[in-house]
């Protein structure tokens, strides 16, 4: 329910949050269209970065990804963030890719393979039972498919981790522009937000 923050054990400026402000003319929350437009501001109100949509998600059949540009306060590009969802009738996982103007490119799939291997034969049937029970009881299910993500560079070194159980983000390196990292977290949390934050997370407010 609060603006996402990069969490780290040490390092200057880590553990602080940024304010997320939807643009006045930003698109309404719509997961199917995937349009996003918002600003990131420091705690003192100073502009940090802006995120705009270059390309909206295509249908599950087309497999066209959503592409977002991250700009600095003067409009200069900081990088590009791409969300690619699993295509219909095919095996696969949701994938997030970060391409900085300067620094290593990062990408990773949602959930680890071992947990997905357990999810389909074991977790999914249990999820369906809990979903039916939740509908009958009028309560949330609190259970779902694997959600954790570890963003890695081409050498497979981890830079950012989203821990689904704790609902937090842990920064493991400082090689990627922190403005781009915060933009990634803001985008990610607008799609995969804590249950208590509502369907659209912070972007729906």
């Amino acid at each position: 329910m609060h603006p996402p923050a990069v969490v780290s054990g040490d390092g200057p400026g880590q553990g602080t949050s940024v304010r997320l402000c939807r643009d006045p003319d930003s698109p309404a929350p719509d997961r199917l269209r995937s349009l996003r437009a918002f600003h990131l501001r420091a705690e003192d109100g100073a502009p940090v970065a802006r995120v705009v949509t270059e390309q909206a998600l295509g249908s599950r059949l087309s497999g066209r990804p959503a592409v977002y540009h991250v700009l600095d306060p003067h409009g200069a590009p900081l990088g590009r963030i791409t969300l690619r969802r699993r295509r219909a009738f095919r095996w696969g996982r949701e994938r997030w890719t970060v391409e900085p103007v300067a620094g290593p490119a990062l990408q990773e799939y949602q959930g680890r393979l071992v947990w997905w291997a357990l999810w389909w034969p074991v977790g999914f049937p249990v999820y369906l039972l809990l979903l039916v029970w939740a509908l009958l009881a009028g309560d949330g299910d609190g259970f779902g498919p694997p959600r954790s993500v570890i963003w890695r560079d081409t050498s497979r070194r981890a830079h950012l981790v989203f821990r689904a159980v704790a609902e937090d983000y842990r920064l493991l390196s400082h090689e990627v522009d922190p403005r781009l990292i915060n933009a990634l977290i803001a985008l990610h949390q607008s799609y995969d937000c804590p249950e208590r934050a509502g369907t659209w997370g912070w972007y729906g407010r």
Side-chain angles (χ1 to χ4, degrees):
M1 297 179 67
H2 302 286
V6 174
V7 180
S8 179
D10 54 10
Q14 300 308 314
T16 60
S17 63
V18 294
R19 292 173 52 198
L20 304 172
C21 310
R22 284 176 54 185
D23 291 355
D25 58 347
S26 64
D30 185 342
R31 187 165 292 162
L32 295 178
R33 296 177 62 201
S34 68
L35 298 176
R36 300 285 188 271
F38 57 90
H39 284 76
L40 292 84
R41 296 186 179 275
E43 293 178 332
D44 61 1
V48 173
R50 183 179 181 225
V51 176
V52 296
T53 302
E54 174 190 337
Q55 175 179 281
L57 272 173
S59 68
R60 289 281 190 176
L61 292 175
S62 70
R64 186 180 68 187
V67 181
Y68 304 94
H69 276 296
V70 183
L71 312 172
D72 73 8
H74 305 289
L78 298 175
R80 187 170 68 169
I81 298 173
T82 303
L83 167 62
R84 187 180 298 276
R85 287 188 164 172
R86 178 181 63 84
R87 297 184 66 173
F89 311 114
R90 294 190 182 184
W91 291 103
R93 294 176 289 166
E94 185 173 281
R95 182 176 67 187
W96 288 87
T97 303
V98 184
E99 300 171 280
V101 170
L106 311 177
Q107 74 171 9
E108 192 52 89
Y109 294 91
Q110 176 179 309
R112 298 185 182 181
L113 278 175
V114 62
W115 296 121
W116 279 110
L118 291 173
W119 164 254
W120 289 114
V122 179
F124 186 65
V126 174
Y127 172 75
L128 290 178
L129 290 174
L130 290 177
L131 182 60
V132 172
W133 175 263
L135 291 174
L136 294 175
D139 195 5
D141 52 84
F143 182 73
R147 297 169 48 230
S148 296
V149 185
I150 304 175
W151 282 273
R152 304 176 186 271
D153 58 25
T154 53
S155 66
R156 302 302 297 162
R157 187 161 61 96
H159 289 254
L160 177 69
V161 177
F162 167 62
R163 302 184 303 171
V165 174
E167 294 286 358
D168 70 4
Y169 300 83
R170 188 166 297 274
L171 187 65
L172 304 180
S173 80
H174 303 277
E175 296 181 31
V176 179
D177 192 316
R179 296 171 293 180
L180 192 58
I181 292 293
N182 277 289
L184 169 64
I185 292 173
L187 277 171
H188 181 261
Q189 197 169 81
S190 73
Y191 283 95
D192 188 353
C193 51
E195 183 179 348
R196 66 181 183 277
T199 304
W200 307 108
W202 72 267
Y203 194 76
R205 291 182 286 142

